[in-house]
Amino acid sequence: MNLQIDQQRLSSEIERLAAISEAEPPVVTRIVFTLADLKARAWMIARCEEAGLAVRQDAIGNIFARWNGADRAAPAVGTGSHIDAIPNAGKYDGVVGVLGGLEAIRALQRSGFRPKNSIELLIFATEEPTRFGIGCLGSRLLSGTLSAEAAAKLKDRDGESVDEVRLRAGLNGSLQDVKLPTGYYKAFAELHIEQGPLLERAQTSLGIVKSIAAPASLRISIEGAGGHAGGVLMPDRKDALCVAAELILAVENAARSSGAVDTVATVGVCDVFPGAVNSIPSRVRITLDIRDTDHARRDGVMQTIERASKDISAKRQVSIQSELLNADAPAECAPEVRGALADSCRKHGFPFLEMVSRAYHDSLFISRVAPTGMLFIPCRNGYSHRPDEYAAPEHIARGALVLAESLAKLAGSTQ
Ligand SMILES: [Zn+2]
């Protein structure tokens, strides 16, 4: 099998997709089911159809593009990632796995390879938590990690529910039907930028993921008392933002003192009400993101934060309510997928690192229903979720090549 990745075409497709954005280049903002996202989805479907793939969408908007194998009844081998992007993001997060996955399939087609099991590109819907407050909505539903009832009730900032938004986007059908039948995928492999600096530091172009860290997130509401910034004297105040400040530092401290470098915790959202210069903040909402490769340690950090929150609430006499948005288990990547990726690397003499994914991906949820693995490529300075995110074309092409060979090995050949 002589596999050639068309690096130039892949690069130009990444640029084309990046131009479909709500923001001016080089900024990519593509929040799920906005006009830009719908345009990008249509553009992707056209590229898949151009490659002769059979395309379908489910009720949440996951897009499946299938290259039928000789044995159509056999479980497919899947690959893919996402194309939605957070506000002020870059060109490569998710996209590398979608367009790289498509190019992997096209390279296999050009080589004359005929798969035994079908090979399917999966473009996950609403991977980013921007709109509905929870990440990987599409793959949570595919894997049954989240129920259709719970998903339908999620709302965006404008109070619109998942059901309202998806129906307006033309996605009919029932969310109940999104869950994949048992044994749908024989194996699944996701190509992704590392979103960290380790590959670049090691000057290694490929990383094979061993495990994916366990994420959890909480929304915390602090209810204090407002008032005039001049009129209310300090001893009489119940400033909700001061409470938030103490709590945020407690979060940082809890993660730092877990005893492991793999523990990370972040407060990335802080909404202050009423948000006026001369008004004491009466209400603050923060969101908290905690991750660890070790499930028990992650839960321990959450308990430490919970205790700190109770202490601060008692000391400052304000109400602190927390709502658990998600607390997911970590995933081990499947030996057969890791093996297929490693065999391809060795065949070409490409060095690779075995690594942990500290970011979570749709693969975390697909791993609940199929043997799953991930292949990382470096991104400059480890930057991601920002406009200067960059991955070199030769690294992307190398990732697509290893992915293509691994898909071929997992799907088997008819020759
Ligand atoms: Zn991603």
Side-chain angles (χ1 to χ4, degrees):
M1 190 167 49
N2 179 25
L3 278 179
Q4 300 288 341
I5 297 297
D6 189 340
Q7 185 178 313
Q8 220 164 13
R9 177 177 182 180
L10 185 48
S11 294
S12 78
E13 284 177 339
I14 290 170
E15 293 302 320
R16 287 280 301 281
L17 188 52
I20 310 175
S21 165
E22 291 158 49
E24 287 298 309
V27 178
V28 178
T29 298
R30 212 161 36 226
I31 296 162
V32 70
F33 302 142
T34 56
L35 195 58
D37 182 60
L38 293 172
K39 273 190 193 161
R41 294 165 59 83
W43 185 83
M44 270 315 310
I45 289 171
R47 299 290 76 72
C48 292
E49 286 173 343
E50 225 170 54
L53 308 180
V55 179
R56 71 179 174 93
Q57 292 188 65
D58 66 16
I60 192 64
N62 293 310
I63 298 169
F64 303 78
R66 182 173 280 226
W67 181 20
N68 280 310
D71 184 356
R72 291 188 180 206
V77 171
T79 187
S81 195
H82 62 98
I83 58 166
D84 62 328
I86 65 162
N88 207 38
K91 296 173 187 170
Y92 302 92
D93 173 16
V95 167
V96 158
V98 171
L99 284 170
L102 178 59
E103 176 55 22
I105 290 175
R106 290 188 304 223
L108 287 167
Q109 291 173 333
R110 289 193 297 267
S111 77
F113 174 80
R114 292 282 169 268
K116 184 167 156 292
N117 294 50
S118 300
I119 296 179
E120 187 168 84
L121 179 69
L122 175 43
I123 307 170
F124 294 101
T126 188
E127 195 267 352
E128 299 291 1
T130 314
R131 184 149 192 179
F132 297 112
I134 184 169
C136 298
L137 190 50
S139 52
R140 283 177 194 274
L141 284 165
L142 287 172
S143 61
T145 315
L146 184 74
S147 71
E149 295 77 19
K153 280 191 218 135
L154 294 169
K155 288 196 160 100
D156 66 12
R157 273 191 182 174
D158 300 329
E160 280 201 296
S161 71
V162 164
D163 265 346
E164 287 169 318
V165 173
R166 76 179 178 94
L167 288 170
R168 204 171 49 237
L171 298 164
N172 307 313
S174 165
L175 287 180
Q176 303 281 357
D177 299 335
V178 173
K179 187 173 183 311
L180 291 174
T182 314
Y184 182 88
Y185 282 123
K186 182 186 178 209
F188 192 91
E190 180 173 4
L191 172 67
H192 207 282
I193 57 168
E194 183 200 342
Q195 303 182 292
L198 301 181
L199 284 174
E200 190 181 58
R201 274 185 205 158
Q203 295 186 306
T204 303
S205 56
L206 296 165
I208 297 177
V209 175
K210 295 183 288 188
S211 62
I212 307 173
S217 55
L218 294 159
R219 188 183 286 142
I220 298 178
S221 303
I222 301 161
E223 205 70 50
H228 195 285
V232 183
L233 297 178
M234 298 313 280
D236 303 327
R237 293 194 181 198
K238 289 182 180 175
D239 184 324
L241 188 56
C242 291
V243 175
E246 265 197 65
L247 188 54
I248 292 166
L249 291 177
V251 167
E252 184 191 36
N253 194 38
R256 277 178 186 265
S257 53
S258 85
V261 290
D262 287 327
T263 316
V264 289
T266 309
V267 174
V269 173
C270 181
D271 289 327
V272 181
F273 183 84
V277 66
N278 56 355
S279 181
I280 300 163
S282 60
R283 196 164 70 229
V284 171
R285 234 160 67 151
I286 60 176
T287 58
L288 174 55
D289 175 304
I290 313 158
R291 302 172 194 221
D292 205 313
T293 48
D294 186 287
H295 202 168
R297 197 168 55 214
R298 198 271 323 270
D299 287 349
V301 169
M302 289 171 73
Q303 281 154 16
T304 306
I305 293 168
E306 197 57 42
R307 278 197 301 275
S309 161
K310 284 209 173 82
D311 292 348
I312 297 165
S313 163
K315 188 178 77 181
R316 287 186 171 263
Q317 293 291 298
V318 292
S319 139
I320 305 179
Q321 301 287 341
S322 69
E323 179 196 350
L324 184 67
L325 298 175
N326 67 289
D328 301 296
E332 289 299 318
C333 291
E336 60 266 48
V337 182
R338 286 170 60 182
L341 295 166
D343 283 350
S344 170
C345 291
R346 288 194 196 100
K347 185 182 134 192
H348 293 281
F350 298 154
F352 61 91
L353 286 187
E354 295 210 291
M355 53 203 311
V356 167
S357 172
R358 288 180 175 76
Y360 72 94
H361 304 278
D362 293 301
S363 284
L364 177 65
F365 300 99
I366 293 302
S367 75
R368 316 274 195 244
V369 291
T372 299
M374 291 193 77
L375 180 65
F376 278 173
I377 57 162
C379 51
R380 191 166 58 200
N381 300 325
Y383 292 166
S384 184
H385 283 189
R386 42 191 280 179
D388 54 356
E389 180 183 85
Y390 177 78
E394 56 275 21
H395 290 155
I396 300 171
R398 186 175 276 200
L401 176 66
V402 169
L403 178 68
E405 269 183 353
S406 306
L407 295 175
K409 182 165 190 183
L410 293 162
S413 163
T414 52
Q415 283 124 11

